Amino acid sequence: MNWTAIRAIYVFEMARFFRTLTQSLISPVLSTSLYFVVFGTAIGSRIETVEDVSYGAFIVPGLIMLSVMTQATSNASFGIYFPKFIGTIYELLSAPVNFLEITLGYVGAAATKALFIGVIIFVTAFFFVDITVQHPFAMIAFLLMTCVSFALLGFIIGIWAGNFEQLQLIPLLVITPLVFLGGSFYSVTMLPPVWQTITMFNPVVYLISGFRWAFFGTADVPVAISLAAIAFFMAACMAAIWWIFRTGWRIRQ
Amino acid sequence: MNAIVSIKNLHKAYDSGFVALRGVDLDIAEGEILALLGPNGAGKTTLISTVCGITVPTAGKIMVGGHDTVTDYRAARSLIGLVPQEINLEPFETVENTVSFSRGLFGKKKDPARVAEVLKMLSLDDKAKSKIKELSGGMKRRVLIAKALAHEPRVLFLDEPTAGVDVELRKDMWNVVADLKAHGVTIILTTHYIEEAEAIADRVGIISKGEILLVQNKDEMMSQMGRKELRVDLVEPVETIPDALMKYDLVLAPNGRAVTYTYDTRAERTGIRTVLNDLDAAGLRMADLQTQQSSLEEIFTTLVKEQSA
Ligand SMILES: Nc1ncnc2c1ncn2[C@@H]1O[C@H](COP(=O)(O)OP(=O)(O)OP(=O)(O)O)[C@@H](O)[C@H]1O
Ligand SMILES: [Mg+2]
């Protein structure tokens, strides 16, 4: 393993993040605060509790997930798309590094940024609602796995994208609906039976359910299944990336 | 020859089906400077990209420092530095960070002193903290070179390093190249400036339509392939060339005070003596004589024309 190279990519990517730190953080913090005002306070005052948790607190895990997933995806996709766009990818392709090292560098940095934002939102939430976390280690583990798996997904999108429209289309077209329909703002058990079945095909359900279990100790699906689903998702992304680099798809002619 | 880069029967067909390289064979000796000349679209960049791992060979074999560039790419690529033709740089990064990044990417430990040294060598030391977007085009090109040198490569590929660079800077760059050669770095450069190849290369390769037409020692190439011109200045101007001298295809200067005879140095008989004798016999008195070697440029143009014919 060329650890020096992994570190070089990671540090270089993180530098980009810190250069634009304020704009990286302001937007997620602002939008989360808006969600709390609209869902937590305005609508929440009429719902009161879901599964014995106040509605304001109930949506916290979903909100964190929403931001972390979109941020991890867009950071990683941008991170690898940008060198392709400005041509600096030549250097990665001519360096003594393999696909795993390139992926670890870029995905590691994107996941770190997303984690950062997740933590910031978690802290912001404390200003709006009372929350206690029942399984803190599990919470961190779920958060980390979500950051990594969506950064992997974003990495694939960045390699696939041929222009900036495509780069933004997938997060908008696929991830946002999956997250909203994945039970970020409600319990899946609140849906009619047919929709409950359909929802089970949405991978985000497992992530949010597991994450919410770490907070409140109640879950829509068993925690073990959540873990298995995340592991499967990560493995599928890694396999796709391995294939991409082996065939040179969209990067090496 | 102790070849540090050895290319055997290299073919490259792009996905579009276009064949950019057709059986390239090329051995590059350790420590030499090889200039690749060829018209636009000849395949120079493709050849370099394939050696460096940016494009995948369709067929053939490339060895760098004894390592296969496909099966043993780590060892092969560690030895190579690449300066691409296009100026591709992260606009918002500083010069220093960009160069350090390149070093790290090639697996070399962080070494600010080495980075500073490379920047100094390229007269970029006062720009270390500047953002790339604040640099001029010529400075950016030097940043590209600094990046390629940051990991101390043994083979350096320079794809048109002096395109769009002013005369003075070009001379500076030639000095950098000479300096690297003195340190034992093997250099392969492409250029459209024939005087550049003449000035710095040990050997010159001519490539056209994906084929290497000729690779030869520069001096040898010019003396062997070059045509020489013999110019005879006359004491008395003449209006026409006498019939007796017609067979020599002499060219008369517009003022009638000189005739030029062109001969091939490769020919068994250059014909110089008989020309001079016949000039004398025709009553043309010689004031002075001079010979001139034709430039690489002419050799190059002739070869490429011959291929198209
Ligand atoms: N990605 C690609 N897909 C298809 N064809 C390509 C690609 N890249 C280059 N070519 C073609 O391959 C041929 C060789 O291109 P190359 O860039 O190697 O030429 P070059 O000798 O470097 O030219 P120049 O002096 O203009 O830089 C050209 O005809 C070009 O159109
Ligand atoms: Mg080129």
Side-chain angles (χ1 to χ4, degrees):
Chain A
M1 269 307 229
N2 187 345
W3 289 104
T4 322
I6 300 173
R7 219 186 74 136
I9 296 173
Y10 183 86
V11 169
F12 199 69
E13 283 301 298
M14 290 309 287
R16 197 206 311 282
F17 177 62
F18 286 114
R19 246 192 335 257
T20 54
L21 191 63
T22 15
Q23 84 201 48
S24 305
L25 294 184
I26 276 185
S27 129
V29 169
L30 184 72
S31 61
T32 311
S33 305
L34 287 175
Y35 278 117
F36 276 121
V37 172
V38 174
F39 288 97
T41 319
I43 299 176
S45 62
R46 289 161 188 257
I47 300 180
E48 296 193 347
T49 63
V50 181
E51 291 167 358
D52 299 330
V53 180
S54 84
Y55 187 69
F58 179 83
I59 64 169
V60 170
L63 276 178
I64 295 176
M65 280 291 187
L66 175 66
S67 283
V68 162
M69 286 169 184
T70 39
Q71 289 292 327
T73 311
S74 65
N75 283 330
S77 61
F78 186 79
I80 189 67
Y81 178 76
F82 194 58
K84 245 178 33 166
F85 178 69
I86 63 171
T88 51
I89 187 109
Y90 84 86
E91 206 177 13
L92 283 178
L93 298 179
S94 62
V97 290
N98 64 16
F99 94 95
L100 193 62
E101 290 151 355
I102 297 180
T103 309
L104 280 177
Y106 280 100
V107 169
T112 309
K113 297 176 203 174
L115 186 66
F116 232 101
I117 286 162
V119 170
I120 297 271
I121 292 171
F122 183 69
V123 173
T124 312
F126 271 99
F127 289 100
F128 292 92
V129 286
D130 286 329
I131 27 175
T132 45
V133 180
Q134 295 200 3
H135 310 281
F137 288 111
M139 183 201 97
I140 292 166
F142 269 108
L143 192 58
L144 269 176
M145 286 191 291
T146 308
C147 289
V148 172
S149 43
F150 277 77
L152 285 169
L153 179 66
F155 191 70
I156 296 170
I157 294 170
I159 290 173
W160 163 81
N163 53 49
F164 273 104
E165 282 73 33
Q166 290 178 344
L167 194 66
Q168 281 164 340
L169 202 67
I170 293 292
L172 218 61
L173 223 59
V174 179
I175 298 186
T176 313
L178 283 184
V179 172
F180 271 88
L181 299 176
S184 302
F185 304 113
Y186 54 87
S187 162
V188 173
T189 52
M190 292 158 86
L191 293 173
V194 185
W195 279 99
Q196 281 192 36
T197 314
I198 293 174
T199 299
M200 289 303 140
F201 291 100
N202 179 355
V204 176
V205 167
Y206 301 92
L207 294 176
I208 292 183
S209 164
F211 196 49
R212 189 174 284 138
W213 166 83
F215 273 78
F216 309 120
T218 53
D220 292 341
V221 286
V223 179
I225 292 183
S226 285
L227 281 173
I230 299 181
F232 175 77
F233 184 53
M234 278 191 343
C237 288
M238 280 310 284
I241 293 171
W242 172 80
W243 176 83
I244 285 172
F245 277 87
R246 201 180 59 108
T247 59
W249 183 70
R250 296 237 177 187
I251 30 179
R252 215 178 233 125
Q253 281 146 345
Chain B
M1 183 168 70
N2 187 10
I4 190 158
V5 178
S6 169
I7 301 167
K8 293 259 180 304
N9 194 27
L10 182 65
H11 288 260
K12 174 64 191 176
Y14 280 108
D15 292 344
S16 62
F18 184 85
V19 182
L21 297 175
R22 308 162 183 271
V24 169
D25 285 301
L26 183 60
D27 276 342
I28 299 159
E30 174 135 40
E32 76 167 328
I33 301 181
L34 175 78
L36 276 178
L37 292 173
N40 287 134
K44 301 180 294 293
T45 301
T46 305
L47 179 60
I48 290 179
S49 303
T50 315
V51 176
C52 296
I54 294 168
T55 57
V56 188
T58 310
K61 197 175 171 71
I62 307 168
M63 306 284 280
V64 177
H67 309 285
D68 188 305
T69 56
V70 176
T71 56
D72 193 8
Y73 65 93
R74 267 192 213 269
R77 289 185 200 163
S78 305
L79 302 175
I80 302 176
L82 166 65
V83 180
Q85 180 173 1
E86 310 283 335
I87 296 184
N88 303 317
L89 290 164
E90 290 252 355
F92 302 105
E93 261 309 333
T94 65
V95 171
E96 204 172 37
N97 282 351
T98 312
V99 176
S100 279
F101 168 71
S102 302
R103 186 177 166 84
L105 193 60
F106 277 74
K108 289 271 171 126
K109 288 262 163 318
K110 215 176 155 83
D111 186 350
R114 169 67 194 165
V115 170
E117 192 184 308
V118 170
L119 292 181
K120 190 159 172 55
M121 179 177 177
L122 292 154
S123 319
L124 285 167
D125 32 348
D126 55 332
K127 297 285 174 196
K129 308 273 183 221
S130 303
K131 290 205 171 111
I132 305 279
K133 65 179 173 120
E134 295 158 0
L135 303 182
S136 76
M139 291 173 190
K140 283 183 193 151
R141 204 166 271 288
R142 278 180 284 159
V143 174
L144 284 179
I145 300 179
K147 279 166 76 71
L149 292 177
H151 69 278
E152 301 155 56
R154 279 176 59 207
V155 183
L156 181 66
F157 286 91
L158 294 157
D159 201 351
E160 295 190 29
T162 55
V165 165
D166 71 31
V167 181
E168 196 158 327
L169 211 69
R170 194 175 297 166
K171 295 267 160 66
D172 280 355
M173 229 170 264
W174 294 357
N175 288 335
V176 171
V177 169
D179 207 34
L180 290 168
K181 181 186 156 79
H183 283 89
V185 180
T186 307
I187 294 155
I188 297 95
L189 66 97
T190 72
T191 180
H192 286 286
Y193 301 110
I194 287 164
E195 57 285 17
E196 186 158 281
E198 274 192 77
I200 57 175
D202 298 315
R203 285 198 306 156
V204 176
I206 292 176
I207 179 171
S208 177
K209 298 194 181 131
E211 285 177 280
I212 302 258
L213 302 182
L214 179 78
V215 191
Q216 207 166 32
N217 179 291
K218 178 187 62 184
D219 301 328
E220 233 170 68
M221 177 185 280
M222 290 201 302
S223 61
Q224 281 187 12
M225 299 236 6
R227 298 172 79 76
K228 270 193 163 179
E229 288 182 346
L230 172 71
R231 183 183 144 112
V232 182
D233 289 338
L234 304 174
V235 177
E236 299 288 329
V238 294
E239 274 176 16
T240 54
I241 293 170
D243 286 346
L245 298 172
M246 273 323 208
K247 60 181 173 190
Y248 297 116
D249 289 327
L250 299 179
V251 180
L252 185 66
N255 62 8
R257 284 189 169 277
V259 290
T260 306
Y261 169 62
T262 309
Y263 61 97
D264 193 333
T265 48
R266 287 173 305 175
E268 225 165 82
R269 311 171 71 97
T270 56
I272 296 176
R273 240 178 46 176
T274 50
V275 172
L276 294 181
N277 283 342
D278 288 355
L279 276 171
D280 209 32
L284 304 180
R285 283 177 53 216
M286 293 169 254
D288 198 4
L289 287 179
Q290 56 189 16
T291 61
Q292 200 176 25
Q293 184 118 35
S294 65
S295 67
L296 259 180
E297 180 148 9
E298 289 167 57
I299 301 172
F300 171 70
T301 331
T302 319
L303 265 178
V304 173
K305 264 201 206 115
E306 273 172 19
Q307 187 200 24
S308 326

Short mmCIF file of all heavy atoms in Angstrom, two decimals, chain A residues 253, chain B residues 14 16 18 20 39-46 85 160 192, ligand 1:
data_model
loop_
_atom_site.label_atom_id
_atom_site.label_comp_id
_atom_site.label_asym_id
_atom_site.label_seq_id
_atom_site.Cartn_x
_atom_site.Cartn_y
_atom_site.Cartn_z
N GLN A 253 -8.14 5.87 -21.35
CA GLN A 253 -8.51 5.47 -22.72
C GLN A 253 -7.68 4.31 -23.22
O GLN A 253 -6.54 4.19 -22.88
CB GLN A 253 -8.33 6.64 -23.68
CG GLN A 253 -9.48 7.60 -23.58
CD GLN A 253 -9.03 9.01 -23.80
OE1 GLN A 253 -7.86 9.34 -23.78
NE2 GLN A 253 -9.98 9.88 -24.00
N TYR B 14 -7.58 4.11 -30.36
CA TYR B 14 -8.51 4.72 -29.40
C TYR B 14 -9.88 4.08 -29.54
O TYR B 14 -10.17 3.40 -30.52
CB TYR B 14 -8.61 6.24 -29.66
CG TYR B 14 -7.44 7.00 -29.06
CD1 TYR B 14 -6.44 7.55 -29.86
CD2 TYR B 14 -7.33 7.15 -27.68
CE1 TYR B 14 -5.38 8.25 -29.31
CE2 TYR B 14 -6.27 7.85 -27.12
CZ TYR B 14 -5.30 8.39 -27.94
OH TYR B 14 -4.25 9.07 -27.38
N SER B 16 -12.53 5.30 -30.33
CA SER B 16 -13.21 5.75 -31.54
C SER B 16 -12.82 4.89 -32.74
O SER B 16 -13.40 5.01 -33.81
CB SER B 16 -12.85 7.20 -31.83
OG SER B 16 -11.46 7.31 -32.06
N PHE B 18 -9.82 5.05 -34.01
CA PHE B 18 -8.69 5.71 -34.63
C PHE B 18 -7.38 5.08 -34.17
O PHE B 18 -7.16 4.88 -32.98
CB PHE B 18 -8.69 7.21 -34.29
CG PHE B 18 -7.60 7.97 -34.98
CD1 PHE B 18 -7.80 8.45 -36.27
CD2 PHE B 18 -6.38 8.18 -34.36
CE1 PHE B 18 -6.78 9.13 -36.93
CE2 PHE B 18 -5.36 8.86 -35.02
CZ PHE B 18 -5.56 9.33 -36.30
N ALA B 20 -3.70 5.52 -33.50
CA ALA B 20 -2.78 6.64 -33.30
C ALA B 20 -1.32 6.19 -33.33
O ALA B 20 -0.44 6.99 -33.62
CB ALA B 20 -3.10 7.35 -32.00
N PRO B 39 4.53 16.30 -37.07
CA PRO B 39 3.45 17.26 -37.27
C PRO B 39 2.30 17.06 -36.27
O PRO B 39 2.28 16.05 -35.56
CB PRO B 39 2.98 16.96 -38.70
CG PRO B 39 3.48 15.59 -39.02
CD PRO B 39 4.70 15.37 -38.19
N ASN B 40 1.37 17.97 -36.22
CA ASN B 40 0.21 17.84 -35.34
C ASN B 40 -0.51 16.53 -35.63
O ASN B 40 -0.68 16.16 -36.79
CB ASN B 40 -0.80 18.99 -35.58
CG ASN B 40 -0.31 20.30 -35.01
OD1 ASN B 40 -0.38 21.32 -35.67
ND2 ASN B 40 0.21 20.28 -33.81
N GLY B 41 -0.87 15.84 -34.56
CA GLY B 41 -1.62 14.60 -34.73
C GLY B 41 -0.76 13.40 -35.08
O GLY B 41 -1.26 12.33 -35.42
N ALA B 42 0.57 13.55 -35.00
CA ALA B 42 1.47 12.46 -35.38
C ALA B 42 1.41 11.30 -34.40
O ALA B 42 1.70 10.16 -34.75
CB ALA B 42 2.89 12.99 -35.47
N GLY B 43 1.05 11.61 -33.14
CA GLY B 43 1.00 10.55 -32.13
C GLY B 43 2.03 10.74 -31.02
O GLY B 43 2.25 9.84 -30.22
N LYS B 44 2.62 11.92 -30.95
CA LYS B 44 3.64 12.18 -29.92
C LYS B 44 3.05 12.08 -28.52
O LYS B 44 3.57 11.37 -27.66
CB LYS B 44 4.26 13.58 -30.12
CG LYS B 44 4.90 13.79 -31.48
CD LYS B 44 5.50 15.18 -31.62
CE LYS B 44 4.47 16.30 -31.61
NZ LYS B 44 3.57 16.33 -32.76
N THR B 45 1.94 12.80 -28.31
CA THR B 45 1.31 12.79 -27.00
C THR B 45 0.79 11.40 -26.67
O THR B 45 0.92 10.93 -25.54
CB THR B 45 0.18 13.84 -26.94
OG1 THR B 45 0.75 15.12 -27.21
CG2 THR B 45 -0.48 13.86 -25.59
N THR B 46 0.22 10.74 -27.65
CA THR B 46 -0.28 9.38 -27.43
C THR B 46 0.85 8.46 -26.98
O THR B 46 0.69 7.68 -26.04
CB THR B 46 -0.92 8.84 -28.72
OG1 THR B 46 -1.92 9.76 -29.15
CG2 THR B 46 -1.54 7.48 -28.50
N GLN B 85 1.24 18.27 -22.15
CA GLN B 85 1.19 19.33 -23.15
C GLN B 85 0.25 20.46 -22.72
O GLN B 85 0.55 21.63 -22.88
CB GLN B 85 0.72 18.72 -24.47
CG GLN B 85 0.62 19.70 -25.61
CD GLN B 85 0.31 18.99 -26.94
OE1 GLN B 85 0.16 17.77 -27.00
NE2 GLN B 85 0.23 19.75 -27.99
N GLU B 160 6.01 19.16 -25.32
CA GLU B 160 6.04 20.56 -25.77
C GLU B 160 6.23 21.56 -24.63
O GLU B 160 5.39 22.41 -24.39
CB GLU B 160 4.77 20.88 -26.56
CG GLU B 160 4.74 20.05 -27.83
CD GLU B 160 3.64 20.47 -28.78
OE1 GLU B 160 3.27 21.65 -28.77
OE2 GLU B 160 3.17 19.60 -29.52
N HIS B 192 7.80 21.41 -31.58
CA HIS B 192 7.57 21.80 -32.97
C HIS B 192 8.67 22.74 -33.43
O HIS B 192 8.71 23.12 -34.58
CB HIS B 192 6.21 22.48 -33.12
CG HIS B 192 5.08 21.51 -33.03
ND1 HIS B 192 4.78 20.64 -34.05
CD2 HIS B 192 4.19 21.26 -32.06
CE1 HIS B 192 3.75 19.90 -33.71
NE2 HIS B 192 3.38 20.24 -32.49
N1 LIG C 1 -8.90 10.41 -26.87
C1 LIG C 1 -8.78 10.28 -28.19
N2 LIG C 1 -9.71 9.64 -28.89
C2 LIG C 1 -9.59 9.49 -30.22
N3 LIG C 1 -8.57 9.95 -30.94
C3 LIG C 1 -7.59 10.59 -30.30
C4 LIG C 1 -7.64 10.80 -28.90
N4 LIG C 1 -6.53 11.47 -28.52
C5 LIG C 1 -5.84 11.69 -29.65
N5 LIG C 1 -6.47 11.16 -30.72
C6 LIG C 1 -6.00 11.19 -32.11
O1 LIG C 1 -4.75 10.54 -32.19
C7 LIG C 1 -3.89 11.22 -33.09
C8 LIG C 1 -2.59 11.55 -32.38
O2 LIG C 1 -2.83 12.52 -31.39
P1 LIG C 1 -1.67 13.07 -30.47
O3 LIG C 1 -2.28 13.96 -29.48
O4 LIG C 1 -0.89 11.91 -29.98
O5 LIG C 1 -0.82 13.90 -31.53
P2 LIG C 1 0.46 14.81 -31.28
O6 LIG C 1 1.54 14.24 -32.12
O7 LIG C 1 0.73 14.95 -29.84
O8 LIG C 1 -0.03 16.18 -31.90
P3 LIG C 1 0.27 17.69 -31.44
O9 LIG C 1 1.57 18.07 -32.04
O10 LIG C 1 -0.85 18.44 -32.06
O11 LIG C 1 0.26 17.74 -29.97
C9 LIG C 1 -4.65 12.46 -33.56
O12 LIG C 1 -5.16 12.19 -34.85
C10 LIG C 1 -5.77 12.60 -32.58
O13 LIG C 1 -6.92 13.12 -33.20
#
